[in-house]
Amino acid sequence: MILTSLEMQGFKSFPEKTVLTFDKGITAVVGPNGSGKSNLSDAMRWVLGEQSTKNLRGSKMEDVIFGGTEHRPAMGFAEVSMTIDNRGENRINSDFDEITVTRRYFRTGDSQYLINNKQVRLRDIAEMFMNTGIGREGYSIIGQGKIQNIVEGKPEERRELFDEAAGIVKY
Ligand code: ATP
């Protein structure tokens, strides 16, 4: 299972359709302060179903939609798609070799979740990623301060992490 691409449109500082493709090995994103590096990891969290606006560094869900600049009007919705190559090790339990999850959010408050262009529930996305370490509660995205939270966390909080790593959350 390999992350192959991330596509954003109208998400935070990415009004235009922006596609990042990830090759084998390590990908590093570099750029000046405020250029949108963390917005990329926010997009990954978001498409995986993140509901906490705090974790997305905003105060309301609408904050993920491009809010406009002096030269460009605000957008009406945000969309992010993440594509995973589901061959090889740690396969997601799915008939597909390539899986694309998509999340859309409109200023009206409506949201949509899709798996391979088919509309699904948030719960279906959560269940698909359960025990893979990738999901919203997974440990594949380690943000600033997260290591400290793990070390200083309550035993019950740490247990959630171990359960996920051991692949027994479902049970
Ligand atoms: P640093 O290196 O300082 O951590 P960074 O490269 O990680 O910075 P981000 O925090 O990802 O930068 O991006 C911040 C930028 O994203 C700011 O310029 C902010 O105005 C812009 N931004 C965030 N949300 C929106 C939005 N909804 N609409 C337009 N721009 C946004």
Side-chain angles (χ1 to χ4, degrees):
M1 186 172 63
I2 298 166
L3 169 64
T4 48
S5 71
L6 183 74
E7 186 179 313
M8 290 156 295
Q9 188 168 17
F11 184 86
K12 290 204 171 187
S13 51
F14 298 94
E16 264 161 44
K17 187 165 166 180
T18 307
V19 186
L20 277 96
T21 51
F22 302 100
D23 291 323
K24 289 209 169 117
I26 294 172
T27 301
V29 180
V30 293
N33 290 349
S35 59
K37 302 182 296 292
S38 302
N39 291 345
L40 297 174
S41 55
D42 291 342
M44 292 194 195
R45 261 180 225 285
W46 189 70
V47 73
L48 293 169
E50 181 60 81
Q51 301 297 306
S52 156
T53 50
K54 190 172 148 246
N55 286 347
L56 295 162
R57 304 180 306 138
S59 56
K60 50 188 183 324
M61 199 45 93
E62 209 181 321
D63 293 340
V64 301
I65 306 174
F66 175 71
T69 62
E70 243 176 72
H71 311 286
R72 203 175 177 131
M75 310 250 319
F77 74 98
E79 176 174 327
V80 175
S81 294
M82 178 190 269
T83 300
I84 285 164
D85 178 344
N86 192 36
R87 293 169 301 177
E89 281 175 43
N90 302 325
R91 273 180 63 96
I92 289 171
N93 188 10
S94 159
D95 295 336
F96 296 102
D97 281 344
E98 189 172 78
I99 298 173
T100 300
V101 287
T102 303
R103 180 173 181 181
R104 277 189 206 121
Y105 185 79
F106 299 84
R107 273 196 202 280
T108 53
D110 291 331
S111 53
Q112 289 173 355
Y113 297 90
L114 300 96
I115 297 177
N116 287 356
N117 277 326
K118 187 170 162 268
Q119 212 160 322
V120 295
R121 300 164 305 174
L122 167 61
R123 192 187 165 152
D124 298 316
I125 296 198
E127 280 184 7
M128 188 174 78
F129 285 111
M130 203 174 263
N131 293 331
T132 62
I134 292 182
R136 159 159 78 97
E137 306 292 340
Y139 43 80
S140 57
I141 301 175
I142 304 285
Q144 290 170 27
K146 176 84 189 241
I147 298 287
Q148 193 175 348
N149 291 348
I150 295 170
V151 174
E152 292 176 357
K154 294 196 192 106
E156 306 86 70
E157 289 164 0
R158 271 205 294 266
R159 181 181 163 172
E160 284 171 20
L161 209 70
F162 292 130
D163 284 352
E164 175 81 28
I168 56 169
V169 178
K170 233 181 213 164
Y171 312 107

